[in-house]
Amino acid sequence: LLVRFWIIAGVGLLAAAAGFAVSKFVVTPTYESTTKIYILNKSESTTVTYSDVQMGTQLTKDYAELINSRYVLEEVIEELSLADIEYEDLLDQVSVHTPTDTRIVSITVTDTEPQQAMEIADCIREVAGEHIQNVMDIDAVNVVEEANLPTEKAGPSVAKWTLIGGIIGVFLVCVIVLVHYLLDDTIKTSEDVERYLGLSTLALIP
């Protein structure tokens, strides 16, 4: 490996350059738009009790399931006329996060078009809000933050692809060099002559 260090380093640099080129010019960039809602299951009294806060925190996972439900996403597809997108495809584009000890639900949509990502996120928020109210029998779903229009791409990460490309290139060359070394059974030194042939070396021709 030390003898072939420059070959390994050269191939690693070429692989890193390939990863950079693919991520920069070949792979279609994606954009993320995020909207947030606030859900609190109030009791009949006008004051918010500690049990209301606890109950809202415990139910955030239920809200996430409702947001990702087939009813909500198919309704979004119909409202936005996304004929080329199926339920499973849209489900892969949507991620729902519920930070610990909060009643805020974050809905993030990933798409190749920034405008469409924002429109889908807002539509999911509206449809899911109504669906959650009907299913969970709560008072209201408040909008914390409307979906943003992303201006910078979320992926692919050029630095990450470049690093991965370099690592893969170095790893593959190291494997090839080691395999070639292990399979090479040619005699190279006078010690090999004595070990495998049982003969003494009389002279060496440099």
Side-chain angles (χ1 to χ4, degrees):
L1 292 176
L2 291 176
V3 171
R4 292 169 174 79
F5 170 77
W6 293 110
I7 297 177
I8 296 172
V11 173
L13 290 175
L14 288 177
F20 173 84
V22 170
S23 61
K24 189 74 173 178
F25 305 108
V26 178
V27 179
T28 303
T30 57
Y31 300 86
E32 289 184 351
S33 181
T34 301
T35 181
K36 297 179 181 180
I37 56 178
Y38 180 87
I39 304 172
L40 178 62
N41 190 15
K42 293 183 179 179
S43 59
E44 294 181 357
S45 62
T46 56
T47 58
V48 179
T49 64
Y50 179 69
S51 61
D52 293 330
V53 177
Q54 281 189 319
M55 182 63 68
T57 303
Q58 293 170 359
L59 292 176
T60 50
K61 290 184 178 180
D62 296 338
Y63 301 144
E65 288 297 321
L66 290 175
I67 293 170
N68 282 324
S69 65
R70 181 179 290 273
Y71 171 83
V72 171
L73 297 187
E74 288 186 346
E75 184 71 20
V76 171
I77 292 174
E78 183 177 349
E79 287 192 14
L80 297 179
S81 301
L82 304 175
D84 56 334
I85 298 179
E86 298 293 334
Y87 161 72
E88 291 77 10
D89 300 327
L90 185 55
L91 181 61
D92 292 336
Q93 294 180 235
V94 179
S95 59
V96 181
H97 303 285
T98 53
T100 306
D101 298 330
T102 68
R103 298 176 302 280
I104 295 177
V105 180
S106 176
I107 305 169
T108 302
V109 176
T110 304
D111 197 271
T112 55
E113 296 294 334
Q115 181 69 30
Q116 182 164 288
M118 182 183 69
E119 292 176 356
I120 293 175
D122 278 333
C123 190
I124 290 176
R125 186 194 67 234
E126 295 173 2
V127 176
E130 296 179 2
H131 190 50
I132 290 173
Q133 285 181 269
N134 295 332
V135 174
M136 306 297 292
D137 193 23
I138 62 174
D139 292 339
V141 176
N142 299 325
V143 179
V144 176
E145 185 179 292
E146 293 187 354
N148 63 303
L149 180 62
T151 56
E152 297 182 359
K153 66 178 183 178
S157 173
V158 175
K160 183 178 180 181
W161 277 62
T162 302
L163 180 61
I164 292 176
I167 292 174
I168 292 176
V170 170
F171 176 76
L172 290 178
V173 174
C174 288
V175 170
I176 293 173
V177 170
L178 290 175
V179 170
H180 180 268
Y181 173 76
L182 294 174
L183 295 180
D184 186 6
D185 59 354
T186 58
I187 295 176
K188 294 182 174 63
T189 64
S190 58
E191 288 78 8
D192 291 339
V193 174
E194 295 180 2
R195 182 183 302 113
Y196 298 114
L197 302 181
L199 300 174
S200 299
T201 304
L202 298 180
L204 294 177
I205 301 177

